[in-house]
Amino acid sequence: AVAGTKLACYREPPSRIFTLDEVRADHGDETWVVLSDTRGVYNMTPFLDAHAGGPDRIRMVNGQDLAAFWKVYSDIHDRPHIRDLLEEYRIGSLSEEDTAKIKAETRFGDAYVNEPTRARATDYRIPSRKPWNSEPRLELLWENYFTPNDLFFIRNHNPVPDIDGDEWELEIDGNPAAGIKGRTFTLKQLKEEFPKHEVVSSLQCAGNRQEDFVSDGRPLYVAPHWRNGAIGNAKWGGVRVRDILRACGMDVDGIVLGHKSLN
């Protein structure tokens, strides 16, 4: 396949024609999906555990048109080598009539409509927008010892959560064996009742520079396609976990000093 083309070059697809009822039938633990623009029927079960986004992301498309989901994640999934991989799981096709029906009936809402505005988007290289993943241009990255917040690389797997600080809570489950009593803390409590601790540290995505591995015949299947900007240095501040656990009754000092064991 040629990069940038809409459709990859497929092997001859299986000749069986399925009905829509057959596709949507109960197949037990198997996951069947359709891609309307190829009319293909695919049994994705063997691939579930290999999917970088987890098996549930494919299971939620079971009995539906994959194209509707790809419209949201087009810059991640709808690529020639992904389509080539998909064809390995093809088990047949739908009729034109049933293909039109499943395409019309499959609905998938866009969870990214309320994403925050990125004021410095032009200073980023953006491998994907849904979810948003971005890395700063190198000439900007080394301008500051501390990477500015609005320039720091962003790695998302899902939409940015819409959090109301007045309603947000941290819930600690009780664990008698560890001496932990269950408690709930509001954001206001965390800010006012615990000391703020700061640490200067560099942070790098484990996939930084992964595009270096891309070559002819060796495409990159995972996302995002980082080059070399998924790294930054910052002063991180917040409440220490040990302080929260101590407030819940855990003898953190005794454990650290070896005076108490969790066994």
Side-chain angles (χ1 to χ4, degrees), residues 173-247:
D173 290 337
N175 186 334
I180 299 174
K181 299 177 182 178
R183 284 193 62 181
T184 298
F185 300 92
T186 64
L187 184 60
K188 185 173 184 292
Q189 285 179 299
L190 293 177
K191 289 182 175 181
E192 296 180 355
E193 298 179 12
F194 296 91
K196 181 179 180 179
H197 185 70
E198 293 183 335
V199 174
V200 175
S201 179
S202 296
L203 180 67
Q204 176 179 228
C205 180
N208 197 29
R209 295 186 63 184
Q210 61 183 340
E211 274 211 352
D212 289 354
F213 293 97
V214 177
S215 59
D216 291 341
R218 188 181 181 184
L220 187 63
Y221 290 96
V222 296
H225 288 199
W226 294 129
R227 290 183 182 169
N228 43 23
I231 187 172
N233 186 54
K235 180 184 291 184
W236 310 88
V239 179
R240 293 182 294 190
V241 174
R242 60 173 290 137
D243 293 340
I244 295 175
L245 294 178
R246 181 192 286 115

Side-chain angles (χ1 to χ4, degrees), residues 120-127 132-144 146-155 203-205 208 225-233:
R120 299 189 66 176
T122 56
D123 293 331
Y124 290 123
R125 175 182 171 270
I126 307 169
W132 181 278
N133 291 288
S134 58
E135 56 184 335
R137 301 202 312 266
L138 284 186
E139 65 269 22
L140 300 175
L141 181 60
W142 57 53
E143 284 185 345
N144 301 279
F146 288 126
T147 309
N149 286 351
D150 59 1
L151 195 62
F152 216 94
F153 82 90
I154 299 173
R155 175 64 172 112
L203 180 67
Q204 176 179 228
C205 180
N208 197 29
H225 288 199
W226 294 129
R227 290 183 182 169
N228 43 23
I231 187 172
N233 186 54

Side-chain angles (χ1 to χ4, degrees), residues 3-192:
T5 56
K6 180 64 176 177
L7 293 176
C9 299
Y10 301 141
R11 61 178 171 80
E12 189 68 25
S15 59
R16 180 173 175 181
I17 302 297
F18 289 92
T19 66
L20 188 52
D21 287 340
E22 287 177 313
V23 171
R24 290 176 170 172
D26 184 357
H27 300 289
D29 293 333
E30 294 187 349
T31 298
W32 289 24
V33 303
V34 170
L35 186 59
S36 56
D37 60 6
T38 68
R39 290 178 44 206
V41 177
Y42 306 87
N43 182 352
M44 301 305 300
T45 312
F47 179 72
L48 293 179
D49 290 333
H51 185 236
D56 288 341
R57 292 298 180 90
I58 300 180
R59 289 192 181 110
M60 71 181 184
V61 194
N62 187 41
Q64 301 182 74
D65 180 13
L66 186 60
F69 297 78
W70 276 9
K71 283 182 180 179
V72 175
Y73 302 102
S74 58
D75 52 358
I76 296 179
H77 293 94
D78 196 358
R79 294 175 286 159
H81 62 283
I82 300 295
R83 286 176 172 264
D84 278 339
L85 177 66
L86 184 64
E87 288 303 304
E88 296 181 17
Y89 302 95
R90 188 165 183 164
I91 56 177
S93 302
L94 275 182
S95 68
E96 290 186 9
E97 180 181 357
D98 278 343
T99 299
K101 184 176 181 181
I102 196 171
K103 182 177 181 179
E105 292 178 355
T106 300
R107 294 286 183 270
F108 184 56
D110 187 348
Y112 295 88
V113 294
N114 294 320
E115 286 286 278
T117 300
R118 276 85 180 187
R120 299 189 66 176
T122 56
D123 293 331
Y124 290 123
R125 175 182 171 270
I126 307 169
S128 71
R129 293 180 179 272
K130 296 179 181 181
W132 181 278
N133 291 288
S134 58
E135 56 184 335
R137 301 202 312 266
L138 284 186
E139 65 269 22
L140 300 175
L141 181 60
W142 57 53
E143 284 185 345
N144 301 279
Y145 177 71
F146 288 126
T147 309
N149 286 351
D150 59 1
L151 195 62
F152 216 94
F153 82 90
I154 299 173
R155 175 64 172 112
N156 286 321
H157 292 264
N158 295 292
V160 176
D162 185 9
I163 298 175
D164 184 340
D166 292 333
E167 296 182 357
W168 183 90
E169 293 180 334
L170 172 66
E171 184 177 345
I172 306 297
D173 290 337
N175 186 334
I180 299 174
K181 299 177 182 178
R183 284 193 62 181
T184 298
F185 300 92
T186 64
L187 184 60
K188 185 173 184 292
Q189 285 179 299
L190 293 177
K191 289 182 175 181
E192 296 180 355

